[in-house]
Amino acid sequence: MSTRIRGVLAPVVTPFGDSGAPDSQRLLQQCLWLQQHRVGLAVFGTNSEANSLSVEERIDLLDRLIEGGVARDGLMPGTGCCAIPDSVRLTTHAVSNGVAGCLMLPPFYYKGVSTEGLYRNFATIIERVGDARLRIYLYHIPPVSQVPIGFDLIERLLRDFPGTIAGIKDSSGDWNHTQQLLARFGSQIDVFPGSESFLLAALRNGGAGCISATANVNPAALAELARRWNSAEADALQARADVIRAIFQKRPMIAAMKCAIAHSRTDAAWVRVRPPLVELPPAERAALIDELSAAGFSLPPLASQRV
Amino acid sequence: MSTRIRGVLAPVVTPFGDSGAPDSQRLLQQCLWLQQHRVGLAVFGTNSEANSLSVEERIDLLDRLIEGGVARDGLMPGTGCCAIPDSVRLTTHAVSNGVAGCLMLPPFYYKGVSTEGLYRNFATIIERVGDARLRIYLYHIPPVSQVPIGFDLIERLLRDFPGTIAGIKDSSGDWNHTQQLLARFGSQIDVFPGSESFLLAALRNGGAGCISATANVNPAALAELARRWNSAEADALQARADVIRAIFQKRPMIAAMKCAIAHSRTDAAWVRVRPPLVELPPAERAALIDELSAAGFSLPPLASQRV
């Protein structure tokens, strides 16, 4: 377990250029900045608008990040799609590039599918990728995917692919569910809640860290909380993180985080999202910036980089 | 309106080979058979397991169907994906091949998205495809996609793209909703309920036909009902269609239809589905065949074909 990725990871938001294409230079800059502030990179997650990107766009972006010097062992790209050939292609590409792991959504078009059907999806991907380096982090996010990763599925996968199933991201938003995962599977796999609201609680109960949207904007503070979870300051650090999260969470999170990044970098291009998402309206952007300022919050500085 | 595709369309089930790859020869045979029995081909719909296919697999299959002699003006391929580049690529390919129309799901990963965001998705696709031949059939299937196509969205799209928005498939399963669509938009676009249960009612209220799963197995009878909807036999034809549908509908529909095709053709390969779906268990297959037989039902014959 010691070599597995732990701590705080950001589901890195994806910048778009004028034409609507992903902006690999800005993404690289963001990833290097996040790594400087000691958070891992769960690129191509829900907050990355990954399912709004084609397979080719994701492959190209990952290539650019690696060429640009992003640390491979800090990468956990999302590679789970509705279609097995897409999942196999993305996963094979990621593993061959030496990433720490792959975060895998279940196929999310059909609803009410069986455990057997989901098992076959993951088993087929693992067999076709056929690489002992593969580390899968199952992605449980029923509020969005509407297709849960049940305990029975985890049990079957762990029994048949014990070295490959490395962890789970629990974006249920339900601490009781995270606790049950920790109690039942915490000795075998790494459990990452999908929100830093549960970061301290998770670390106190054997969790591995968290993979949380706001790590995109508040990386240094969350990484500090994860490092100092056993210190006297931990509760105060958690409380402070919760204040910042609340400001983002009462708005559409992805659009709000992009606004905060745009404001911090004085770079309006960062505001863009891809349909079906929409940008925050201007008045809402101003209100967000005001609230963050009133809370004494600003993004950590962008250190000088060679990009 | 007179040149638009009407009547009964089958969301054609997709056969898979030993390796799990789509079987283009069997699909071609099925499509030619369906066209012989006078139903249109809504290939790459929900019943086609289209979202379990890669973009490349769908493009290759459509090429093979057209090479194999399937009538282009009977084709309404599904081309709506979560990622705009995928939708643009599939739609451009379909339109350039002269299909009758494209059936478009909304992007279905994010839930609770705004009308504005969905509008931008369709508007971007229409503008990027940039082909006056494009005819879009919006695909409303909230039980599966969880992302509805609202009346406000239809109104905006019709206002801005009146020649392009040609119809809607209503798979809400709610006749009241279909009636509202017919009353509100029936003079401008073609409304296809997603089940033949509503075929007669739709045709009596100005609907265009239906796009229904069981047209895969019961094409001739449904096509006859659509042709003779204004005759004295119409209610009896509808009642008979309902009896057959009920036998399939009480099981997982896609797996059940594939079993019936496999049985009819004495071709076990047809039973296969792609994960996350699973085949019917053997006992359930036998029960299905028994019930169909007891109802006096068999698939129409496979006419001799040059495939």
Side-chain angles (χ1 to χ4, degrees), chain A residues 118-130:
Chain A
L118 291 174
Y119 172 84
R120 289 187 195 176
N121 171 77
F122 288 107
T124 305
I125 295 167
I126 293 167
E127 284 156 11
R128 297 226 179 129
V129 171

Side-chain angles (χ1 to χ4, degrees), chain B residues 9-302:
Chain B
L9 289 91
V12 188
V13 287
T14 306
F16 295 101
D18 289 345
S19 66
D23 181 333
S24 61
Q25 277 301 305
R26 280 187 174 84
L27 181 63
L28 174 59
Q29 184 187 53
Q30 178 74 359
C31 285
L32 292 172
W33 174 76
L34 288 167
Q35 288 199 327
Q36 284 169 356
H37 291 293
R38 303 172 74 170
V39 305
L41 304 175
V43 292
F44 315 139
T46 299
N47 285 282
S48 317
E49 300 171 73
N51 291 304
S52 303
L53 303 175
S54 69
V55 167
E56 292 75 16
E57 286 176 331
R58 295 204 229 180
I59 286 177
D60 181 61
L61 287 174
L62 189 63
D63 286 341
R64 303 294 188 92
L65 295 182
I66 290 171
E67 287 164 19
V70 163
R72 295 161 193 256
D73 62 1
L75 279 164
M76 188 195 287
T79 64
C81 304
C82 289
I84 288 174
D86 292 340
S87 301
V88 170
R89 193 170 157 206
L90 285 173
T91 305
T92 300
H93 176 260
V95 172
S96 68
N97 276 289
V99 300
C102 293
L103 186 57
M104 272 195 210
L105 278 169
F108 54 84
Y109 182 65
Y110 295 106
K111 308 306 187 291
V113 293
S114 64
T115 298
E116 172 66 22
L118 292 174
Y119 172 84
R120 289 187 196 176
N121 170 77
F122 288 107
T124 304
I125 294 166
I126 293 167
E127 285 157 9
R128 296 226 179 128
V129 172
D131 192 317
R133 294 173 293 175
L134 174 59
R135 295 290 174 272
I136 291 178
Y137 293 80
L138 301 166
Y139 191 1
H140 177 66
I141 181 168
V144 183
S145 68
Q146 307 275 332
V147 178
I149 307 277
F151 293 165
D152 49 351
L153 175 61
I154 301 171
E155 268 166 15
R156 276 193 68 185
L157 289 170
L158 268 176
R159 186 193 65 199
D160 293 348
F161 307 102
T164 304
I165 305 299
I168 186 163
K169 177 180 181 190
D170 180 10
S171 294
S172 65
D174 173 4
W175 171 245
N176 286 331
H177 187 263
T178 306
Q179 268 190 313
Q180 288 177 51
L181 283 172
L182 284 164
R184 199 150 165 175
F185 302 108
S187 65
Q188 296 168 275
I189 61 173
D190 293 332
V191 177
F192 291 86
S195 162
E196 78 278 13
S197 311
F198 307 129
L199 176 55
L200 188 51
L203 291 169
R204 285 174 173 164
N205 286 273
C210 74
I211 305 173
S212 177
T214 53
N216 275 289
V217 287
N218 197 18
L222 299 188
E224 184 186 5
L225 170 54
R227 268 195 315 279
R228 300 177 62 197
W229 70 272
N230 212 6
S231 75
E233 293 74 30
D235 286 295
L237 292 168
Q238 177 70 63
R240 172 68 179 159
D242 292 346
V243 167
I244 304 310
R245 180 179 182 87
I247 297 173
F248 286 98
Q249 196 166 21
K250 67 179 171 181
R251 305 174 160 94
M253 284 278 273
I254 299 170
M257 292 188 302
K258 285 185 159 180
C259 281
I261 296 169
H263 179 75
S264 169
R265 309 257 194 280
T266 322
D267 180 2
W270 261 107
V271 167
R272 294 186 190 112
V273 293
R274 189 172 262 189
L277 302 189
V278 293
E279 299 81 22
L280 287 195
E284 192 59 30
R285 290 179 211 174
L288 168 70
I289 301 306
D290 286 350
E291 281 184 54
L292 290 173
S293 173
F297 175 82
S298 59
L299 271 68
L302 194 63

Side-chain angles (χ1 to χ4, degrees), chain A residues 10-17 20-28 30-31 34 42-54 57-58 61-62 65 216 254-255 257-258 261 269-274 277, chain B residues 110:
Chain A
V12 188
V13 288
T14 306
F16 295 101
D23 182 334
S24 61
Q25 277 300 306
R26 281 188 174 84
L27 181 63
L28 174 60
Q30 179 74 359
C31 284
L34 288 167
V43 292
F44 315 139
T46 299
N47 286 282
S48 317
E49 301 171 72
N51 290 304
S52 303
L53 303 175
S54 69
E57 285 176 332
R58 294 205 230 179
L61 286 174
L62 189 63
L65 294 182
N216 275 290
I254 299 170
M257 293 189 299
K258 285 185 158 181
I261 295 169
W270 260 107
V271 166
R272 293 187 191 110
V273 292
R274 189 172 264 190
L277 302 189
Chain B
Y110 295 106

Side-chain angles (χ1 to χ4, degrees), chain A residues 150-215:
Chain A
F151 293 165
D152 49 351
L153 175 61
I154 302 170
E155 268 166 13
R156 275 193 68 182
L157 288 170
L158 267 175
R159 185 193 65 199
D160 294 347
F161 307 101
T164 304
I165 305 298
I168 186 164
K169 177 180 180 190
D170 180 12
S171 293
S172 65
D174 173 3
W175 171 245
N176 286 331
H177 187 264
T178 307
Q179 268 189 313
Q180 287 177 51
L181 283 172
L182 284 163
R184 198 147 165 175
F185 303 107
S187 65
Q188 296 167 273
I189 60 174
D190 293 332
V191 177
F192 292 87
S195 163
E196 79 279 14
S197 311
F198 307 129
L199 177 54
L200 189 51
L203 292 168
R204 284 173 174 163
N205 286 275
C210 73
I211 304 173
S212 177
T214 55

